[in-house]
Amino acid sequence: MNTATLLISCPDQKGLVATISNFLYTHGANILHADQHQDNDVGMFFMRVEWDLDGFELAEEALRDQFAPIAERFQMRWRLHYSAVKPKMAIFVSRYLHCLADLLYRHQIGELACAIPLIVSNHEDARALAEFHGVEFRHMPVNAATKGEVEREQVALLKERGVDVVILARYMQVLASSFVEAFEGRIINVHHSFLPAFSGARPYQAAFQRGVKLIGATSHYVTEVLDDGPIIEQDVVRISHRDQVSDLVQKGRDLERIVLSRAVKWHLEHRILRYANKTVVFD
Amino acid sequence: MNTATLLISCPDQKGLVATISNFLYTHGANILHADQHQDNDVGMFFMRVEWDLDGFELAEEALRDQFAPIAERFQMRWRLHYSAVKPKMAIFVSRYLHCLADLLYRHQIGELACAIPLIVSNHEDARALAEFHGVEFRHMPVNAATKGEVEREQVALLKERGVDVVILARYMQVLASSFVEAFEGRIINVHHSFLPAFSGARPYQAAFQRGVKLIGATSHYVTEVLDDGPIIEQDVVRISHRDQVSDLVQKGRDLERIVLSRAVKWHLEHRILRYANKTVVFD
Amino acid sequence: MNTATLLISCPDQKGLVATISNFLYTHGANILHADQHQDNDVGMFFMRVEWDLDGFELAEEALRDQFAPIAERFQMRWRLHYSAVKPKMAIFVSRYLHCLADLLYRHQIGELACAIPLIVSNHEDARALAEFHGVEFRHMPVNAATKGEVEREQVALLKERGVDVVILARYMQVLASSFVEAFEGRIINVHHSFLPAFSGARPYQAAFQRGVKLIGATSHYVTEVLDDGPIIEQDVVRISHRDQVSDLVQKGRDLERIVLSRAVKWHLEHRILRYANKTVVFD
Amino acid sequence: MNTATLLISCPDQKGLVATISNFLYTHGANILHADQHQDNDVGMFFMRVEWDLDGFELAEEALRDQFAPIAERFQMRWRLHYSAVKPKMAIFVSRYLHCLADLLYRHQIGELACAIPLIVSNHEDARALAEFHGVEFRHMPVNAATKGEVEREQVALLKERGVDVVILARYMQVLASSFVEAFEGRIINVHHSFLPAFSGARPYQAAFQRGVKLIGATSHYVTEVLDDGPIIEQDVVRISHRDQVSDLVQKGRDLERIVLSRAVKWHLEHRILRYANKTVVFD
């Protein structure tokens, strides 16, 4: 089924839903899913609506033209996505391959609605896995002296390939702000702690030292401040005094895979709206 | 804030959201929460919309009159609730008082939007707790010979007090179908297992015998078939080989309280729609 | 059944279990539960063993005398508890009563193996609940000028009543180090966040601001550093963008009750050993 | 580190721990982990003890000879495992490859202490994955007429390869009792429901029909009764009215992988004892 999805955020006011739903109804939309949210504290309105294109009378350009005045009237920020247009996703990885292997497998069986044209790594470890899945692998080693130059090459490469979203699947390099800006709101990272606890390096060791009884993982959009971007998903697993750091690492791998893959899936299905360094995730 | 809530279920078709939201907008509704769901398999549409009555121009009667033709056109089943009208809730209990104590405490601190005019029990154990919370307590013992007569008295008493919803908070009697019919869709039970596993008597013993690794609890609407009504909420807790039946009973108490209180809260907030022996729970 | 429980921590070495189990066996102990843990990193050994006193040939004094040389040989820190001796627990509370109400109810139905001789509060709110449960209530208001003096009175009162353990059930005062020292290792607090995230004041507001997808609660032993003591138990619950701060507060209440009551129960059952600012909790 | 692990179950009686720990201590064992459990209802004792072989003075044969009289005296059922001897694990799979892919990846990164000499399938789908991981793949199609003959070949093949444990990783054939008997207590299956709910075919459809609010998965030892063997591990995930059967299938895949891999790991680490159609799982 070919569908279109409209994502809207704007100041809340009366008549928003009526206006949007009238517009879609008038043009023959058969709505499949609609969800909305008002944050009454900050006076914001958020909506996601997905409809069947079969029987819908507006092509993309006409839709954009005719919706623009409505959007302007309500000061909307809005995005329109067509299910027929698969986003292109690049995956960055270092030496821990569990998240990469998981994403590739999910893609293979159809869980992730995207193309994966490229895997980038500062190590060679992921090459065999990339080749098994038929994805181009680029080994781009980084050191303190070359980091700026390599990142410029990476951004150029991503743009050349038309990449829409970048997944940091345990990529152990902090991206410079120029990279982050080039893909603002389109870089997703997984951090191996329950943020904001244990941000930064070696979170499992820190969790072990503190003696917590649950460990967590967090997927979030990358911003210029390390581990501080809008959180998309988190989950935890119980540990006990019997668990050493190596047990935490192992239990954490399962968390990381699940927490990252949910974020990727929701992003690809255009379920996420960002505001105030937070996310609205429509289910 | 005074609000109205409209709950709708009907065959899905184009124009539903547009029509409903136009109707509300036209009469000045400031929508606070709206949620909807389509079950594309069975072709059904479900909606819950809550709006601020401040600035809304229709009084209840006018609203009912003017919405009726819309409802008829779309073959809607619909209910309208005003937050100013608190539902009246009766609680039935036997000798285990943890769910009763929990509901009374939640009511006391304002978690449950209802009045509690009555506690009914086939034992005396709950009397002190009822009195501490200033709720009328009725001791109505039951045996095989008197059960039919006592249930008729109970239904009469509930109707006399204008009770809207009946909570079976570990009430260890199976209600006859005449009682169930009298409060159809308005009796909530908690069963101390993860239904449909271990329905019927002594579920903790059965779970222990089977050697499960998680135990659960289920809140559901009561129908004429025991433990078979639409499920509202379920939760589980991990157990291990170290747990004996008495440990299961103890861990289960926490589950039962949480699972029942969520169901009660959602019912009182008019968040639940029933269809096909299932529930839609709008969050 | 009357039982004794021995809790041991010492440097790990060969022969520990053999020596301890021989000692108990020689004197006729029927062991009911035994659990042990080695932290191979720090080279420490921990053990909890509980046995039936029926048929055990040593009275308490003889047991202490005869076990002392073994303890000395292995440099053990050890504690001995008899189930017949119920610990005395005082509860401190301010204006939020959900944890207090929960602990009193659990005590009433036999979940907590202790006596509760005293409830202390800086407000009057808890008086009715204390009286309903027949527990002495002491209203001891605190302000900046009187805090030191009031705490001295509180310590004196606790000692006079022979209190063994102090529970801070949402007591909104930071205890001075003199108080903490007087009950070192015997004060349990509940903090309404997933520590170490959101320590200090207003954690639900902080969690809301950060946009986390799970909120937590933590029970821990109180040390001189605020919210930094050894963690006993933690749990979390999922939230979404729909949850406002008031929803977090409400969902958090259920977490706090469960996380605190587990810690209290385990402490009273002598299941917890502390080391390196962490806890070993034997299940 | 080379270790030995002893697993014991026997009628409970005084002196068991003293005798076992003395035996090990006398021969120089440095105990790394020890755990025990008494089921006081049925009067059974269970123990798992693992020790460092460095400094231990008995070789395997001598150990078996000298421990045998102790075992006889206490009517023990016991097993002895050496970490240096890796179990051989065969994986059976049909067309859903998520559990297979997961187990192979975990094996590759060292999570699973075993060799995987063989993958057997009634379909060709798994061949590429098997080859990527360098594991022999045997396509053994089955139909009603050939099933008995094929199973005999499978048992013969497994024995020829010295296979110790067989994992049914979504293998969609019910094994005959002759197969089950040949590997009694050494066949692990994953069932895609929270057993005992929804045993048998199409559990996700059944869960959807019943309207449960959580779905589960269960790993268990295979016995002659379908889906009735001793449960090793279970877990659940929350669903809502928004989830269709296809969503349940997708969410369930993550559960199945985790629940099966934990069972496999624990089995390979000799943490599981079976009794009374249940399991003791030492952590």
Coordinates of all heavy atoms in Angstrom, one line a residue, chain A residues 242-273:
Chain A
R242 N 26.1 -10.3 41.7 CA 26.9 -11.3 41.0 C 27.5 -10.9 39.7 O 28.4 -11.5 39.2 CB 26.0 -12.5 40.8 CG 25.4 -13.1 42.0 CD 24.8 -14.5 41.8 NE 24.0 -14.9 42.9 CZ 24.5 -15.4 44.0 NH1 25.8 -15.6 44.2 NH2 23.8 -15.7 45.1
D243 N 26.9 -9.8 39.1 CA 27.4 -9.4 37.8 C 28.6 -8.5 37.9 O 28.7 -7.5 38.5 CB 26.3 -8.6 37.1 CG 25.1 -9.5 36.7 OD1 25.3 -10.4 35.9 OD2 24.0 -9.3 37.2
Q244 N 29.7 -9.0 37.2 CA 30.9 -8.2 37.0 C 30.8 -7.3 35.8 O 29.8 -7.3 35.1 CB 32.1 -9.2 36.9 CG 32.3 -10.1 38.1 CD 32.5 -9.3 39.4 OE1 33.5 -8.6 39.5 NE2 31.7 -9.5 40.4
V245 N 31.8 -6.4 35.6 CA 31.7 -5.5 34.5 C 31.4 -6.3 33.2 O 30.7 -5.9 32.3 CB 32.9 -4.6 34.4 CG1 32.9 -3.8 33.1 CG2 33.0 -3.7 35.6
S246 N 32.1 -7.4 33.0 CA 31.9 -8.2 31.8 C 30.5 -8.7 31.6 O 30.0 -8.8 30.5 CB 32.9 -9.4 31.7 OG 32.7 -10.2 32.8
D247 N 29.8 -9.0 32.7 CA 28.4 -9.3 32.6 C 27.5 -8.2 32.2 O 26.6 -8.3 31.4 CB 27.9 -9.9 33.9 CG 28.7 -11.1 34.4 OD1 28.7 -12.1 33.7 OD2 29.3 -11.1 35.5
L248 N 27.9 -7.0 32.7 CA 27.2 -5.8 32.4 C 27.3 -5.5 30.9 O 26.3 -5.2 30.2 CB 27.6 -4.6 33.2 CG 27.0 -4.3 34.5 CD1 26.9 -5.6 35.4 CD2 27.6 -3.2 35.2
V249 N 28.5 -5.7 30.4 CA 28.8 -5.4 29.0 C 27.9 -6.4 28.1 O 27.3 -6.0 27.1 CB 30.3 -5.7 28.6 CG1 30.5 -5.7 27.1 CG2 31.1 -4.5 29.3
Q250 N 27.9 -7.6 28.6 CA 27.1 -8.6 27.8 C 25.6 -8.4 27.9 O 24.9 -8.4 26.8 CB 27.4 -10.0 28.3 CG 26.7 -11.1 27.5 CD 27.1 -12.5 27.9 OE1 28.3 -12.8 27.9 NE2 26.2 -13.3 28.3
K251 N 25.1 -8.1 29.1 CA 23.6 -7.8 29.2 C 23.3 -6.5 28.4 O 22.2 -6.4 27.9 CB 23.2 -7.7 30.7 CG 23.3 -9.1 31.4 CD 22.7 -9.0 32.8 CE 22.6 -10.3 33.4 NZ 22.0 -10.3 34.8
G252 N 24.2 -5.6 28.5 CA 24.0 -4.3 27.8 C 23.9 -4.5 26.3 O 23.2 -3.7 25.7
R253 N 24.6 -5.4 25.7 CA 24.6 -5.6 24.3 C 23.1 -5.8 23.8 O 22.7 -5.2 22.8 CB 25.4 -6.7 23.8 CG 26.9 -6.4 23.7 CD 27.6 -7.4 22.8 NE 27.8 -8.7 23.5 CZ 28.8 -9.1 24.2 NH1 29.9 -8.3 24.3 NH2 28.9 -10.3 24.7
D254 N 22.4 -6.6 24.6 CA 21.0 -6.8 24.2 C 20.1 -5.6 24.3 O 19.3 -5.3 23.4 CB 20.4 -8.0 25.0 CG 20.8 -9.3 24.6 OD1 21.2 -9.5 23.4 OD2 20.9 -10.3 25.4
L255 N 20.4 -4.8 25.3 CA 19.7 -3.6 25.5 C 20.0 -2.6 24.3 O 19.1 -2.0 23.8 CB 20.1 -2.9 26.8 CG 19.5 -3.3 28.1 CD1 20.1 -2.4 29.2 CD2 18.0 -3.2 28.1
E256 N 21.3 -2.5 24.0 CA 21.7 -1.5 23.0 C 21.0 -1.9 21.7 O 20.6 -1.0 20.9 CB 23.2 -1.6 22.8 CG 24.0 -1.1 24.1 CD 25.4 -1.5 24.0 OE1 26.0 -1.6 22.9 OE2 26.0 -1.8 25.1
R257 N 21.0 -3.1 21.3 CA 20.4 -3.5 20.1 C 18.9 -3.2 20.0 O 18.4 -2.7 19.0 CB 20.6 -5.1 19.9 CG 22.0 -5.5 19.9 CD 22.1 -6.9 19.3 NE 21.3 -7.9 20.0 CZ 21.3 -9.2 19.7 NH1 21.9 -9.6 18.6 NH2 20.6 -10.0 20.4
I258 N 18.2 -3.4 21.1 CA 16.8 -3.2 21.1 C 16.5 -1.7 21.1 O 15.6 -1.2 20.3 CB 16.2 -4.0 22.2 CG1 16.0 -5.4 21.8 CG2 14.8 -3.4 22.6 CD1 15.5 -6.3 22.9
V259 N 17.2 -1.0 21.9 CA 17.0 0.4 22.1 C 17.3 1.2 20.8 O 16.6 2.1 20.4 CB 17.7 1.0 23.3 CG1 18.0 2.4 23.2 CG2 17.0 0.6 24.6
L260 N 18.4 0.8 20.1 CA 18.8 1.5 18.9 C 17.8 1.1 17.8 O 17.4 1.9 17.0 CB 20.2 1.1 18.5 CG 20.7 1.7 17.2 CD1 20.6 3.3 17.2 CD2 22.1 1.3 16.8
S261 N 17.5 -0.2 17.7 CA 16.7 -0.6 16.5 C 15.3 0.0 16.6 O 14.7 0.3 15.6 CB 16.6 -2.1 16.4 OG 15.9 -2.7 17.5
R262 N 14.7 0.2 17.8 CA 13.4 0.8 17.9 C 13.5 2.3 17.4 O 12.6 2.7 16.7 CB 13.0 0.8 19.4 CG 12.4 -0.5 19.9 CD 11.9 -0.4 21.3 NE 11.7 -1.7 21.9 CZ 11.8 -2.0 23.2 NH1 12.1 -1.0 24.0 NH2 11.6 -3.2 23.6
A263 N 14.6 3.0 17.9 CA 14.7 4.4 17.4 C 14.8 4.5 15.9 O 14.2 5.3 15.3 CB 15.9 5.0 18.1
V264 N 15.6 3.6 15.3 CA 15.8 3.6 13.9 C 14.5 3.4 13.2 O 14.1 4.1 12.2 CB 16.9 2.5 13.5 CG1 16.9 2.4 12.0 CG2 18.2 2.9 14.0
K265 N 13.8 2.3 13.6 CA 12.5 2.0 13.0 C 11.5 3.2 13.1 O 10.8 3.5 12.1 CB 11.9 0.8 13.8 CG 10.6 0.2 13.2 CD 10.3 -1.1 13.9 CE 8.9 -1.5 13.9 NZ 8.3 -1.5 12.5
W266 N 11.4 3.8 14.3 CA 10.5 4.9 14.5 C 10.9 6.1 13.6 O 10.0 6.8 13.0 CB 10.4 5.3 15.9 CG 9.8 4.2 16.8 CD1 9.0 3.2 16.5 CD2 10.0 4.1 18.3 NE1 8.7 2.4 17.6 CE2 9.3 2.9 18.7 CE3 10.8 4.8 19.2 CZ2 9.3 2.5 20.0 CZ3 10.7 4.4 20.5 CH2 10.0 3.2 20.9
H267 N 12.2 6.3 13.5 CA 12.6 7.4 12.7 C 12.3 7.2 11.2 O 11.8 8.1 10.5 CB 14.1 7.6 12.9 CG 14.7 8.7 12.0 ND1 14.8 10.0 12.5 CD2 15.1 8.8 10.7 CE1 15.3 10.8 11.5 NE2 15.5 10.1 10.5
L268 N 12.5 6.0 10.8 CA 12.2 5.6 9.4 C 10.7 5.6 9.1 O 10.3 5.9 7.9 CB 12.8 4.2 9.0 CG 14.3 4.1 9.1 CD1 14.8 2.7 8.9 CD2 15.0 5.0 8.0
E269 N 9.9 5.4 10.1 CA 8.5 5.4 9.9 C 7.9 6.8 10.2 O 6.7 7.0 10.3 CB 7.8 4.4 10.8 CG 8.1 2.9 10.3 CD 7.7 1.9 11.3 OE1 7.0 2.2 12.3 OE2 7.9 0.7 11.0
H270 N 8.8 7.8 10.4 CA 8.4 9.2 10.6 C 7.4 9.3 11.7 O 6.4 9.9 11.6 CB 7.7 9.7 9.3 CG 8.5 9.4 8.1 ND1 9.8 9.8 7.9 CD2 8.3 8.6 7.0 CE1 10.3 9.4 6.7 NE2 9.4 8.6 6.2
R271 N 7.8 8.7 12.8 CA 7.0 8.7 14.0 C 7.4 9.7 15.1 O 6.8 9.9 16.1 CB 6.9 7.4 14.7 CG 6.3 6.3 13.9 CD 6.1 5.0 14.6 NE 5.5 4.0 13.8 CZ 4.2 4.0 13.5 NH1 3.4 4.9 14.1 NH2 3.6 3.1 12.7
I272 N 8.6 10.4 14.8 CA 9.2 11.2 15.9 C 9.2 12.6 15.5 O 9.6 13.1 14.4 CB 10.7 10.7 16.0 CG1 10.8 9.2 16.2 CG2 11.3 11.4 17.3 CD1 12.2 8.7 16.3
L273 N 8.8 13.5 16.5 CA 8.9 14.9 16.4 C 9.7 15.4 17.5 O 9.6 14.9 18.6 CB 7.5 15.5 16.5 CG 6.6 15.5 15.2 CD1 5.2 15.8 15.5 CD2 7.2 16.6 14.2

